[in-house]
Amino acid sequence: MKTIRDLNIEGKKVIIRCDFNVPIKDGKIVDDTRIKGALETIKYCLDKDSKVILLSHLGRIKEEADLKKNNLEIVAKRLAELLKQDVLFSEETRGEELEDTINSMEEGELLLIQNTRYEDLDGKKESSNDKDLGKYWASLGDVFINDAFGTIHRAHASNVGIATYLPSAIGFLVEKELNILKELDNPKHPFIVILGGAKVSDKIGVIENLIEKADKILIGGGMAFTFLKAENYEIGKSILDEENIDFCKKIIDKYSNKIILPKDFAVANEYTNEENYRIKNINNISSNEMGLDIGKDTIKLFEDTLKEAAIVMWNGPLGVYEFDKYKKGTNDILKYLTHNNIKTILGGGDIVAAATTGGYKDKVYHASTGGGATLEYLEGKKLPGLEIIK
Ligand code: AMP
């Protein structure tokens, strides 16, 4: 895979596709991790006296009203603070003014272009990889660097489109993400996978692709109930992915030595943070109860299994971590892994968000910046943003 080091960028106009899709609340950036993640590649280009042109999406643009709340200018300001240098900002995603700005840029200057998805308002041009748009953006620079891991599994005009027309390479952030995920191609053993989250359907590809390699797969979260239903347990009102009961049954039958299911749960009658919960063994769940977190025996079971792990891959929270009452399972296992220095890769938006709020994100070996991209990599799928660079 061609990396930024393989391209001649000295004094060139370098277009970098970044992932500045940061959470914004009340007009403020709540978490700037993604902006910080892009700095290494940006600084490298600035050090080489490139004229740096940055592109990124922010949120989704479906109607006029989405434009204001997803204006990328806020990121230009934060970037300027972090780099301690001016950052030019183009309100337009194309046009004469943008071209003039670029033509008058000096070496070592930096420009951020407005949210690429502003182009989605009129016929989804960015997200459907409109050929003319990709070609136009490519015409603004000499070389292209894709450093947006979060969208590497999508073919958009601002990644695949531009890369079609320019000498292209991946940036340092994408390189780091890939190098870490590659450790799972031939993992050290015991290799233990933790899967949680809501639905089995989202994780089928991952289970199929990792089950041979993994020594154990610990299953928690809402998806555990479809596996337990397949084993004929009463799961009450717990979340069920009916269509995938057969899939779960087949996996349990074939890999009974690898799949580890919860023994107990924090259960309640309603999906709310208000009601008191009780811990119940899986044999005792009533028809009017639902499981919202793993229970203490399961936490112990998971910890005992993880004790010897050489490497752990984790996708999906083990309970409804958005509710304070049901984040214990996820937090306890995060705590166990980090306290015991067990090499852990977190892949997926929700588990990374849980680790961030719990204060564990910086203590794990790696928290991926791209949930969807990580999942597709683990499913063994080809990632369009990389294929075009290859
Ligand atoms: P996913 O995007 O598939 O990783 O799912 C993440 C979501 O799964 C989070 O919003 C959690 O609240 C949810 N989740 C985890 N455990 C449960 C559970 N026991 N019941 C319902 N939803 C759950």
Side-chain angles (χ1 to χ4, degrees):
M1 178 69 53
K2 213 180 246 181
T3 78
I4 187 166
R5 293 181 212 88
D6 302 318
L7 287 184
N8 175 12
I9 59 166
E10 207 81 51
K12 297 262 173 71
K13 284 184 275 181
V14 182
I15 303 177
I16 311 176
R17 173 57 160 100
C18 300
D19 180 2
F20 292 146
N21 187 29
V22 290
I24 294 172
K25 211 174 165 205
D26 301 326
K28 290 210 172 79
I29 296 172
V30 190
D31 180 355
D32 64 1
T33 311
R34 283 185 166 154
I35 307 180
K36 288 182 177 150
L39 294 180
E40 190 181 358
T41 297
I42 296 172
K43 282 184 184 160
Y44 179 85
C45 295
L46 293 172
D47 284 348
K48 298 240 180 248
D49 289 331
S50 311
K51 300 171 184 177
V52 180
I53 302 161
L54 306 174
L55 284 168
S56 173
H57 76 284
L58 175 61
R60 291 216 170 107
I61 307 286
K62 290 190 177 141
E63 52 189 27
E64 288 277 336
D66 296 329
L67 294 175
K68 195 166 168 242
K69 65 171 187 267
N70 293 306
N71 188 326
L72 209 54
E73 190 166 10
I74 188 169
V75 171
K77 290 189 180 134
R78 183 70 190 120
L79 203 51
E81 286 166 8
L82 291 168
L83 287 168
K84 299 188 181 68
Q85 97 166 56
D86 285 346
V87 176
L88 302 167
F89 182 71
S90 165
E91 294 281 353
E92 306 294 336
T93 48
R94 58 169 114 188
E96 227 172 283
E97 230 176 274
L98 168 63
E99 292 152 31
D100 288 347
T101 309
I102 292 174
N103 288 334
S104 57
M105 274 172 81
E106 307 270 337
E107 291 179 352
E109 274 197 329
L110 189 65
L111 165 74
L112 175 63
I113 297 180
Q114 184 57 280
N115 185 354
T116 54
R117 289 196 182 157
Y118 272 36
E119 292 282 349
D120 278 352
L121 199 55
D122 177 19
K124 283 201 156 270
K125 293 202 168 64
E126 153 73 331
S127 299
S128 67
N129 188 13
D130 178 84
K131 197 165 156 262
D132 293 335
L133 181 59
K135 205 171 183 172
Y136 172 75
W137 278 334
S139 75
L140 302 175
D142 303 314
V143 294
F144 175 64
I145 304 296
N146 191 348
D147 211 20
F149 185 69
T151 50
I152 209 105
H153 59 309
R154 303 270 180 250
H156 290 167
S158 65
N159 58 0
V160 172
I162 303 178
T164 309
Y165 301 101
L166 283 182
S168 304
I170 54 170
F172 293 115
L173 181 67
V174 168
E175 185 186 30
K176 183 179 173 213
E177 294 272 4
L178 289 177
N179 282 343
I180 285 170
L181 286 177
K182 268 191 212 139
E183 290 187 44
L184 302 179
D185 291 347
N186 293 302
K188 294 221 169 80
H189 291 277
F191 169 38
I192 299 182
V193 176
I194 309 176
L195 291 178
K199 285 190 277 163
V200 177
S201 56
D202 299 342
K203 315 282 157 86
I204 287 180
V206 178
I207 296 173
E208 283 175 333
N209 202 37
L210 291 184
I211 190 108
E212 294 291 343
K213 274 186 236 172
D215 295 283
K216 301 278 179 212
I217 299 192
L218 310 180
I219 296 185
M223 66 183 277
F225 294 103
T226 308
F227 281 88
L228 290 164
K229 182 82 180 174
E231 292 277 82
N232 294 320
Y233 284 101
E234 166 68 80
I235 62 162
K237 295 193 289 180
S238 305
I239 186 170
L240 174 66
D241 197 345
E242 191 113 39
E243 279 175 15
N244 288 307
I245 297 176
D246 281 350
F247 169 82
C248 293
K249 177 115 200 61
K250 278 189 203 133
I251 289 287
I252 296 172
D253 287 348
K254 191 164 173 201
Y255 300 99
S256 58
N257 58 332
K258 291 195 174 187
I259 298 286
I260 298 189
L261 296 172
K263 291 177 171 179
D264 60 347
F265 290 95
V267 305
N269 297 90
E270 300 300 330
Y271 181 84
T272 153
N273 196 29
E274 309 313 319
E275 192 189 331
N276 285 333
Y277 66 84
R278 24 300 137 202
I279 300 291
K280 282 207 168 175
N281 186 280
I282 182 61
N283 293 306
N284 299 328
I285 295 182
S286 337
S287 59
N288 63 348
E289 290 174 325
M290 63 178 82
L292 296 170
D293 194 8
I294 53 171
K296 58 182 188 331
D297 290 348
T298 306
I299 294 172
K300 177 82 176 60
L301 170 69
F302 282 11
E303 287 175 353
D304 287 344
T305 314
L306 289 163
K307 199 176 280 164
E308 305 298 328
I311 188 159
V312 174
M313 166 70 215
W314 184 349
N315 176 278
L318 301 176
V320 183
Y321 75 98
E322 296 94 333
F323 296 157
D324 276 347
K325 286 203 166 90
Y326 304 116
K327 56 166 74 153
K328 182 173 165 50
T330 304
N331 272 345
D332 279 10
I333 298 298
L334 279 167
K335 186 170 173 187
Y336 183 83
L337 290 167
T338 48
H339 275 214
N340 292 288
N341 282 322
I342 297 172
K343 193 174 197 182
T344 302
I345 299 172
L346 304 180
D350 282 287
I351 188 59
V352 173
T356 306
T357 38
Y360 299 103
K361 196 183 127 208
D362 296 331
K363 296 182 186 153
V364 290
Y365 173 61
H366 183 65
S368 173
T369 56
T374 303
L375 273 188
E376 293 207 8
Y377 181 94
L378 295 176
E379 284 173 36
K381 286 190 183 158
K382 292 210 181 320
L383 306 173
L386 292 182
E387 290 305 304
I388 189 79
I389 289 173
K390 270 189 201 162

